Amino acid sequence: MFTYIWQYLYTAFFRFWLKWFIRQVTGKCELQRICQGYNPGATRTMKTEYSLKSSKSQILRNAVNVEEDEVEICVTRIIKEKNIHEQKDPKFKINLQVCLLQISGYQRLCVAVEDLRKQAFDSAVNEHENMLLKLWSLLMPTVRLESRVTKQWGDIGFQGDDPKTDFRGMGMLGLTNLIFFSENHTEVARQVLSHSNHPKLGYSYAIVGINLTEMAYSLLNSGALKPHFYNVVPGNPQLEHFHRVYCYLVYEFDKFWLKEEPESIMEFNHYREKFHEEVKRLLLEPDVALCLTLETKQ
C-alpha cells in the first residue's frame, strides 16, 4: 500500500517540482538531460517515452503517437513548448527525432502484425496457396508433394492432412513467419526440421513454429520487445524486424529443447513456458538484442 501511495504522490506532485528544480540548476529540461546523458538505444528511448507520457503538456503526451512524416514538426513544437535553445544543444533535435521514430514506430508495428494475424488463411486465394507450397519446397526440396491435401504435411510438423487448419490462431502471420525463416535461413531451417524428427526428442516443427509466432506476438503486444527494437533498429521498426525476432526464437528454442531433453512431447507446455520466461528475463537487460547468431563449427 505504501508503495502505491508513494508512486501516486511522486507522479502527481514531487516529480514536477523535482524536474523544475533540476532545470533551474542545470538549465536543461528533462528531455535534454535524457538525450545527453544516455547513448542511443533502449535506455534513452524508454526514458524519453516515460517522460513524454508523464508530461502535463498535451503536446508532449501526443508525441508518442505521431505519424512518421510529422516527427520533425512534432519535435519543433516540443522545442518551442519547452523553450529549448537549439544553439546551445544542437544534437537534441536529431536525438529526439530518433526516439520518436522508435516509439511511434513500435506502435505502428503492433498494428501491422495484428493485421497480418487477423488475415485468415484462405485456400481460394492463390497467394496463400502458393506460400504454403513454397514452404514445402524450401524445407523438402528433394521430396515431391503428392497432392495439396496429404499426410505428407506431417513430415514438416503439421497436425493433419491440410495445414490450413493449423493457422487459425495466428492466421497468415504464422505462415509468413515460417516462410521468412525458411527463406532467409534455409540451411538452418532444414537443420531445425531434422532435429524435430529426432526419435526421442522430436517435436512438430510447424506447430511449434506457429506456437513461437504466438510467443513473439504476445511479447510485442506486452511491450516486452521494446528494449530489443530500440537497441537494434535506429528508427522505424518494420515487419521484417519482427520476423527476425521470430527467427531468433525458433533457433534458440530448438537449442533449448535439445539441451533440456524432455521425456516426451507431452511436456511441451512446461518447457515452452520455461523458455518464454528466459526470453523475458533477457528482455529486461538494457543492452538486449535478440539477433540470431549461428554457431560456427570448429
Side-chain angles (χ1 to χ4, degrees):
M1 179 63 73
F2 175 77
T3 302
Y4 290 116
I5 295 174
W6 166 249
Q7 188 174 12
Y8 170 76
L9 291 174
Y10 174 76
T11 303
F13 303 104
F14 299 142
R15 187 172 184 275
F16 172 80
W17 291 108
L18 180 61
K19 287 167 57 182
W20 177 87
F21 175 75
I22 296 176
R23 176 154 193 174
Q24 301 311 305
V25 173
T26 65
K28 300 180 187 297
C29 72
E30 184 177 52
L31 288 173
Q32 286 178 286
R33 298 194 300 273
I34 292 170
C35 287
Q36 281 190 349
Y38 298 93
N39 292 325
T43 302
R44 175 194 280 180
T45 303
M46 293 186 77
K47 285 183 176 294
T48 297
E49 186 173 9
Y50 176 77
S51 178
L52 292 170
K53 287 182 176 180
S54 304
S55 176
K56 294 183 180 295
S57 167
Q58 188 70 42
I59 292 175
L60 269 66
R61 292 200 303 275
N62 289 343
V64 298
N65 299 311
V66 68
E67 294 296 327
E68 184 177 1
D69 58 355
E70 295 180 354
V71 166
E72 189 172 354
I73 296 173
C74 181
V75 172
T76 300
R77 289 174 181 162
I78 291 174
I79 288 173
K80 183 178 179 180
E81 174 79 3
K82 302 302 292 183
N83 193 25
I84 296 170
H85 301 289
E86 292 186 66
Q87 299 83 357
K88 296 181 179 180
D89 194 354
K91 294 182 179 180
F92 174 74
K93 187 173 184 178
I94 296 298
N95 290 337
L96 185 58
Q97 283 180 6
V98 172
C99 289
L100 292 189
L101 282 171
Q102 291 181 313
I103 294 166
S104 59
Y106 188 93
Q107 296 182 58
R108 285 190 291 274
L109 177 60
C110 288
V111 173
V113 168
E114 179 64 17
D115 287 344
L116 194 54
R117 187 195 69 83
K118 285 182 177 178
Q119 188 180 149
F121 181 92
D122 187 347
S123 297
V125 178
N126 287 334
E127 181 185 0
H128 294 187
E129 284 290 295
N130 290 336
M131 288 175 67
L132 186 58
L133 295 175
K134 182 179 182 179
L135 178 63
W136 176 270
S137 65
L138 286 167
L139 293 174
M140 305 287 281
T142 62
V143 180
R144 178 178 171 273
L145 193 64
E146 296 173 355
S147 64
R148 168 60 180 78
V149 179
T150 170
K151 291 182 179 180
Q152 283 181 286
W153 290 110
D155 295 342
I156 60 173
F158 285 103
Q159 287 182 320
D161 296 352
D162 192 345
K164 70 178 184 181
T165 59
D166 293 324
F167 294 117
R168 287 173 183 165
M170 288 292 108
M172 287 302 293
L173 181 63
L175 179 55
T176 304
N177 274 168
L178 284 167
I179 289 179
F180 187 92
F181 180 52
S182 300
E183 193 168 32
N184 289 272
H185 304 284
T186 307
E187 292 305 316
V188 178
R190 292 172 185 170
Q191 181 185 66
V192 173
L193 175 61
S194 70
H195 292 167
S196 73
N197 290 320
H198 188 280
K200 180 183 177 185
L201 301 176
Y203 56 87
S204 299
Y205 174 85
I207 296 300
V208 169
I210 295 170
N211 197 287
L212 292 172
T213 290
E214 192 280 329
M215 182 183 296
Y217 170 77
S218 66
L219 289 170
L220 179 75
N221 284 335
S222 69
L225 284 177
K226 284 182 179 181
H228 161 77
F229 284 120
Y230 293 166
N231 282 328
V232 172
V233 186
N236 222 351
Q238 305 293 325
L239 267 173
E240 177 182 343
H241 298 116
F242 176 80
H243 297 326
R244 294 196 179 282
V245 170
Y246 171 81
C247 293
Y248 169 89
L249 292 177
V250 173
Y251 182 69
E252 292 298 325
F253 178 79
D254 180 65
K255 290 199 302 181
F256 171 82
W257 181 266
L258 296 179
K259 180 182 177 181
E260 292 291 326
E261 298 186 350
E263 288 297 321
S264 76
I265 191 62
M266 300 303 293
E267 296 183 88
F268 172 76
N269 287 338
H270 168 72
Y271 285 98
R272 188 261 194 200
E273 195 55 35
K274 187 176 179 181
F275 176 71
H276 193 185
E277 291 300 319
E278 284 195 11
V279 173
K280 287 193 288 187
R281 279 195 293 272
L282 279 176
L283 288 167
L284 295 176
E285 298 293 330
D287 298 323
V288 64
L290 303 184
C291 301
L292 193 159
T293 303
L294 303 178
E295 294 182 343
T296 56
K297 295 181 179 179
Q298 299 295 325

